Amino acid sequence: LSELLKKLRIDVLGVKQDAFATLVKVSRKTISDVENDNGNYSVNKINQIFRPFGLDLNWGIVEHFLPYV
């Protein structure tokens, strides 16, 4: 997930960690931790972070792709 998040954040949205953190309503440190495989985050938190890409660990791809953009 760490490499995927970084690639999607940069290649799809083209934003830095702080802007992405604001978008998904988590701290920049949380984004950094996930991208660097640090920490132990709940499925809900990971889903919150990946939601702008239409991804959900419970369901795969959600119905509306890029709902926050």
Side-chain angles (χ1 to χ4, degrees):
L1 289 177
S2 59
E3 291 179 26
L4 177 61
L5 176 58
K6 186 172 185 176
K7 182 156 185 59
L8 289 172
R9 176 180 59 79
I10 293 169
D11 294 349
V12 173
L13 297 180
V15 297
K16 295 186 182 278
Q17 286 182 343
D18 56 345
F20 185 70
T22 300
L23 175 71
V24 296
K25 297 178 175 55
V26 300
S27 71
R28 190 214 47 85
K29 183 181 181 322
T30 298
I31 300 301
S32 178
D33 285 349
V34 172
E35 287 185 357
N36 290 294
D37 244 352
N38 295 326
N40 186 15
Y41 294 97
S42 69
V43 169
N44 287 340
K45 185 61 68 178
I46 295 298
N47 284 340
Q48 178 181 351
I49 291 169
F50 278 90
R51 177 126 351 242
F53 307 109
L55 301 175
D56 185 296
L57 292 180
N58 298 311
W59 301 101
I61 298 174
V62 294
E63 184 177 335
H64 301 289
F65 187 69
L66 298 176
Y68 294 106
V69 179

